[in-house]
Amino acid sequence: MDYTLIFILACIFIPLERLYPLNPDQPILRRDWKNDLFYMLFNGFVVRAGFTAVAGVAMLAYGSVAGPNPFPVLAALPLWFQVICVVIVADIGYYIAHRICHTVPFLWQFHSVHHSIEDMDWLATHRVHPVDQVFSTLVSLLPVYFLGFSAQALVIAHLLYHVHALLLHSNIKVNFGPLKWILASPEYHHWHHANEKDAYDRNFAAQLSIIDRVAGTMFLPQDRKPVAYGLETPIPRLYHQHMIHPFNVLAKRLAQRISERTPAMFARVEDNLGKLAMLLIFGYLAVEKIFAIQFIFQHSDQIPQAGLILVSQVVSALFVLLVVYFTMVRLPPKDSADGMMPRVIALLGTYIMMALVFLPPEPIGAELRIVATAIILIGTALSIACLMQLGKSFSIMASSRELRTEGAYAIVRHPLYAAELLMIVGILLSHGSVLAFGLGALWVTLQIRRAHYEEGILRATFPEYAEYARRVPMLVPGLNLRWLEAPVEQKRVSGSEPV
Ligand SMILES: [Zn+2]
């Protein structure tokens, strides 16, 4: 801003503020006056640069679409009438922009810099963040520009706006009389800056208080004055701090939002990927089983104990189909165990069991094969019973979906693992190789660790689990394997709020 102009404004406003003060106790060199002087000297350049860049693009775009001056009638009106029209249209635009700034949290961060004013005077008018200034000027002036009013009318109206803004913030008591209900007065705008609940989000207009009257946002009590101005939560005081403060707040909020949402998003993606892998693998297994059943059925006369093997295959096909079905309909996880190990162990446990199923059978005696097949059959049938009870809570990973404590779950914790153990014993008997026994031993070790992780996450999600674990033994009925007890504290990756 021009130094001469600053001198002239100071010569007008400082004496008036001394002669007719709204708040007589406020000194001329009040708090932060140097900061607001810096705003007055420097901020205009930043605002003009921002405004030129944004408004220039908007005007060029409009010009190329609408052509030069689409409403010549308005530009031909008498100048004084055009000025009145511009003030009305621009102030309606300003009212809208200003109200948006108070409503949209993103814009409020920038507008709050202007509301950090704690001593109202003409100098404080200039404390506006460039983003706030560019936004409100654009919304108020672009409609006026697009309507094609003459440049002269725009310049006069804009000058009026500036002088009016200085008056509104100034510490000058001016009696507008009944006009205060139509024109914005210092008293009216000071209420906009008041740090009082009643006055929050009131008196948005810059020049025509009647807009607030019509919109029902006017607050102009006649029996009192604002006690304090400024923000409920103060912000830093200096110019450079004001410039970066809104960006800091917004960056912090964004980072917080991302960190809040990431674990939930991660849990959802992981659950869906796991579901897809399960459906592909167990879907393939189901098709294999169905072909195997068809083969046994067609060649039953050439296969010894074909009847028993057929029943065993039908039961295991049923098990695989149930795994596919419950994977499809399973509930979203309430919570999942934290870290890589629970995931790696769960996957290894599942796929080692499948590897055992696919190992080539060793030549064993007929009696042993019957015993082995019968054990596999019983193990698979029990697994089906457990799976039916587990239902939509079934999952490979250590996740908590819904707590099951009835039926098989009232006899042992992890009955599915106990039934699978029986199945594995049958498989080991029928394969009998060193590799099979080695894999079997590894599987048991992994399953115990897996049960630990599951217990941890179930205890963390369901408070009643501790009592259930005290009451019901783990894996083997009647045998309380205390050394298998899982640690109570288990870190969690929060998928959603625990119940
Ligand atoms: Zn405001």
Side-chain angles (χ1 to χ4, degrees), residues 94 98 101-102 108 111 114-115 189 192-193 202-204:
Y94 182 84
H98 194 178
C101 284
H102 277 248
W108 168 252
H111 187 58
H114 185 58
H115 278 270
H189 193 66
H192 178 70
H193 282 267
R202 294 282 180 269
N203 303 358
F204 291 111

Side-chain angles (χ1 to χ4, degrees), residues 240-467:
H240 72 280
Q241 293 171 321
H242 284 172
M243 291 304 107
I244 52 171
H245 176 72
F247 294 106
N248 270 346
V249 173
L250 292 168
K252 269 185 204 155
R253 283 197 189 157
L254 186 67
Q256 194 187 348
R257 231 176 245 187
I258 290 170
S259 72
E260 274 169 7
R261 287 187 186 177
T262 305
M265 219 163 66
F266 176 74
R268 243 196 336 270
V269 170
E270 187 194 26
D271 194 52
N272 285 328
L273 282 177
K275 188 185 258 189
L276 184 69
M278 289 282 290
L279 290 178
L280 286 174
I281 294 164
F282 282 84
Y284 170 77
L285 275 180
V287 174
E288 274 257 341
K289 290 275 170 203
I290 290 163
F291 279 124
I293 291 166
Q294 193 192 16
F295 181 83
I296 298 164
F297 200 70
Q298 283 169 351
H299 303 87
S300 56
D301 47 336
Q302 297 152 32
I303 303 169
Q305 290 100 35
L308 185 62
I309 293 173
L310 188 68
V311 173
S312 164
Q313 286 296 329
V314 168
V315 173
S316 68
L318 188 61
F319 176 72
V320 171
L321 283 170
L322 278 175
V323 168
V324 171
Y325 172 71
F326 286 127
T327 301
M328 269 197 301
V329 299
R330 76 186 182 188
L331 297 164
K334 284 191 167 68
D335 217 337
S336 303
D338 198 6
M340 281 306 288
M341 279 314 279
R343 290 164 172 76
V344 172
I345 285 176
L347 288 176
L348 278 176
T350 305
Y351 295 118
I352 285 176
M353 192 172 95
M354 282 165 51
L356 279 167
V357 174
F358 280 102
L359 274 183
E362 296 285 318
I364 51 170
E367 291 82 9
L368 189 56
R369 183 157 304 284
I370 292 172
V371 172
T373 310
I375 292 176
I376 294 173
L377 184 61
I378 294 166
T380 315
L382 286 174
S383 297
I384 289 174
C386 295
L387 199 57
M388 295 287 285
Q389 262 186 338
L390 201 54
K392 293 178 181 178
S393 290
F394 168 73
S395 75
I396 294 274
M397 295 297 174
S399 310
S400 51
R401 292 165 204 267
E402 237 172 37
L403 185 61
R404 295 273 184 271
T405 54
E406 304 296 316
Y409 287 83
I411 303 166
V412 283
R413 283 149 40 215
H414 310 283
L416 183 57
Y417 291 168
E420 281 175 354
L421 182 62
L422 205 58
M423 209 196 300
I424 292 293
V425 168
I427 290 170
L428 291 183
L429 282 178
S430 71
H431 290 78
S433 68
V434 176
L435 178 63
F437 276 100
L439 282 177
L442 180 62
W443 181 82
V444 171
T445 316
L446 290 173
Q447 288 299 88
I448 290 170
R449 192 81 207 130
R450 196 172 162 191
H452 268 225
Y453 287 127
E454 284 176 16
E455 297 249 305
I457 198 64
L458 288 168
R459 278 173 202 270
T461 312
F462 304 105
E464 62 271 36
Y465 195 84
E467 191 274 323

Side-chain angles (χ1 to χ4, degrees), residues 105-322:
F106 172 82
L107 290 169
W108 168 252
Q109 288 310 324
F110 296 98
H111 187 58
S112 67
V113 169
H114 185 58
H115 278 270
S116 71
I117 298 167
E118 289 172 346
D119 298 294
M120 296 290 288
D121 67 4
W122 68 285
L123 198 57
T125 315
H126 305 92
R127 196 191 300 178
V128 185
H129 195 286
V131 172
D132 180 21
Q133 184 78 75
V134 170
F135 173 75
S136 50
T137 312
L138 271 178
V139 177
S140 66
L141 284 191
L142 282 183
V144 171
Y145 170 80
F146 293 153
L147 287 171
F149 288 104
S150 69
Q152 258 179 313
L154 288 183
V155 171
I156 296 170
H158 202 57
L159 276 175
L160 280 175
Y161 164 81
H162 270 290
V163 174
H164 203 157
L166 289 166
L167 180 70
L168 289 188
H169 294 88
S170 71
N171 185 24
I172 301 174
K173 192 175 170 63
V174 196
N175 192 354
F176 274 39
L179 272 179
K180 68 183 166 208
W181 304 112
I182 298 166
L183 288 175
S185 63
E187 192 192 354
Y188 151 93
H189 193 66
H190 281 215
W191 273 113
H192 178 70
H193 282 267
N195 188 7
E196 288 179 38
K197 288 249 172 350
D198 292 353
Y200 288 165
D201 303 328
R202 294 282 180 269
N203 303 358
F204 291 111
Q207 290 185 272
L208 304 169
S209 56
I210 193 167
I211 300 173
D212 278 291
R213 263 199 106 176
V214 173
T217 49
M218 194 181 216
F219 185 75
L220 196 55
Q222 299 300 293
D223 52 344
R224 61 189 174 109
K225 283 199 302 182
V227 177
Y229 303 106
L231 296 164
E232 211 170 21
T233 315
I235 61 169
R237 307 192 85 91
L238 300 174
Y239 180 82
H240 72 280
Q241 293 171 321
H242 284 172
M243 291 304 107
I244 52 171
H245 176 72
F247 294 106
N248 270 346
V249 173
L250 292 168
K252 269 185 204 155
R253 283 197 189 157
L254 186 67
Q256 194 187 348
R257 231 176 245 187
I258 290 170
S259 72
E260 274 169 7
R261 287 187 186 177
T262 305
M265 219 163 66
F266 176 74
R268 243 196 336 270
V269 170
E270 187 194 26
D271 194 52
N272 285 328
L273 282 177
K275 188 185 258 189
L276 184 69
M278 289 282 290
L279 290 178
L280 286 174
I281 294 164
F282 282 84
Y284 170 77
L285 275 180
V287 174
E288 274 257 341
K289 290 275 170 203
I290 290 163
F291 279 124
I293 291 166
Q294 193 192 16
F295 181 83
I296 298 164
F297 200 70
Q298 283 169 351
H299 303 87
S300 56
D301 47 336
Q302 297 152 32
I303 303 169
Q305 290 100 35
L308 185 62
I309 293 173
L310 188 68
V311 173
S312 164
Q313 286 296 329
V314 168
V315 173
S316 68
L318 188 61
F319 176 72
V320 171
L321 283 170
L322 278 175

